[in-house]
Amino acid sequence: MRMTRPTRIATAALAFCAASASVAVAADRHNGTWAVELVTDSGVCSARYSYTVAIRDGEVRPVSASAGARVSGRVAADGTVGITVAGSGGSGSGTGRLDGARGSGTWSASSLCAGRWTARRGTTRTAEAE
């Protein structure tokens, strides 16, 4: 059976819409507030840094950060993370993956130091009146 040109266009448009919807749903599953901790394993950096970030539609934004650091990054639909942290003392980057309510990866700040990071999704609790 041969498809007409309008049928092929409609079929392609439906396939594109379905694919776009599944990517949007996959990206949304990482949305929320995450507590992130960076631990220095080698180098001259401080031993530990803590951040709270919000993820919305794959974009990482800071909620709070140690010493006024700027945090930015992206989370892919599959949970792959790329993040950059910049502050008065320099900058660093990290990679890793989020899976469910947890995440982990590695980071480095030039040749000065390197380490690992962990993240956990924050919980939202709603108070109930009795």
Side-chain angles (χ1 to χ4, degrees), residues 57-69:
D57 299 328
E59 187 174 342
V60 179
R61 295 182 182 229
V63 173
S64 70
S66 298

Side-chain angles (χ1 to χ4, degrees), residues 23-48:
V23 168
V25 169
D28 287 350
R29 74 177 172 195
H30 304 297
N31 284 352
T33 304
W34 293 77
V36 180
E37 183 173 46
L38 283 73
V39 176
T40 301
D41 291 328
S42 64
V44 295
C45 296
S46 296
R48 190 174 304 272

Side-chain angles (χ1 to χ4, degrees), residues 27-128:
D28 287 350
R29 74 177 172 195
H30 304 297
N31 284 352
T33 304
W34 293 77
V36 180
E37 183 173 46
L38 283 73
V39 176
T40 301
D41 291 328
S42 64
V44 295
C45 296
S46 296
R48 190 174 304 272
Y49 302 90
S50 296
Y51 304 95
T52 301
V53 299
I55 298 173
R56 175 79 175 149
D57 299 328
E59 187 174 342
V60 179
R61 295 182 182 229
V63 173
S64 70
S66 298
R70 295 177 308 279
V71 180
S72 63
R74 300 283 309 157
V75 179
D78 69 354
T80 303
V81 177
I83 193 163
T84 301
V85 178
S88 61
S91 66
S93 62
T95 59
R97 179 173 300 267
L98 298 178
D99 186 17
R102 301 211 178 275
S104 63
T106 58
W107 65 272
S108 65
S110 241
S111 60
L112 296 176
C113 49
R116 56 194 149 72
W117 63 265
T118 57
R120 77 184 145 69
R121 187 189 307 260
T123 58
T124 304
R125 296 179 187 220
T126 305
E128 290 184 22

